[in-house]
Amino acid sequence: MGKVRLENIRLYAFHGCLKEEGVIGSDYRVDLEVTADLEKASVTDQLADTVDYVTLHRIVQLEMDLRSHLLETVGARILDRIFKEVEGVSAAEVSISKINPPIGGDVQQVTVVLSKTR
């Protein structure tokens, strides 16, 4: 078994419950870790035998582009799509952080972490 991590994916998106968040948008950070059997790929040196991180990145981008009120909803969509489209993934964890959230205080970011297993 092994892990593939995509760290500090930086995106601009329009999530949030406030109407203004859907218009103005915010900066986001996404971290993703998937667990899969990477032994075959370590021997064959073939992309087809591993989890393609380009595919994982594309999934994150596409799901972050779909506006939601809650980061929990976005995270669940990302995990569901990974398990639907990427064979061999046995577990995944996604962290979505909203940078400088509009909560009336000096907060660097808020983060939601979700995980799923097959």
Side-chain angles (χ1 to χ4, degrees):
M1 295 306 280
K3 296 182 185 289
V4 175
R5 290 188 186 122
L6 282 75
E7 299 178 89
N8 198 21
I9 302 168
R10 294 177 302 265
L11 302 156
Y12 198 84
F14 298 88
H15 308 298
C17 294
L18 301 175
K19 183 179 178 182
E20 295 81 9
E21 292 176 295
V23 175
I24 299 168
S26 299
D27 290 308
Y28 290 84
R29 172 188 172 158
V30 178
D31 295 294
L32 177 65
E33 178 179 285
V34 300
T35 302
D37 184 352
L38 303 179
E39 186 174 339
K40 184 175 181 183
S42 70
V43 174
T44 66
D45 197 32
Q46 296 298 309
L47 182 60
D49 295 330
T50 192
V51 174
D52 184 357
Y53 51 79
V54 173
T55 299
L56 295 175
H57 185 265
R58 179 184 53 80
I59 289 170
V60 169
Q61 282 186 309
L62 290 172
E63 294 304 327
M64 287 293 291
D65 283 345
L66 300 175
R67 176 160 161 55
S68 293
H69 288 130
L70 301 178
L71 298 181
E72 291 87 341
T73 305
V74 182
R77 284 198 320 255
I78 290 169
L79 293 175
D80 289 346
R81 192 161 180 174
I82 287 169
F83 280 92
K84 182 179 177 183
E85 295 182 17
V86 184
E87 290 185 31
V89 172
S90 58
E93 180 176 281
V94 63
S95 301
I96 304 173
S97 301
K98 181 184 281 191
I99 311 301
N100 297 316
I103 61 174
D106 186 13
V107 177
Q108 179 179 333
Q109 65 187 33
V110 295
T111 303
V112 170
V113 180
L114 296 168
S115 60
K116 185 174 181 176
T117 58
R118 192 181 302 265

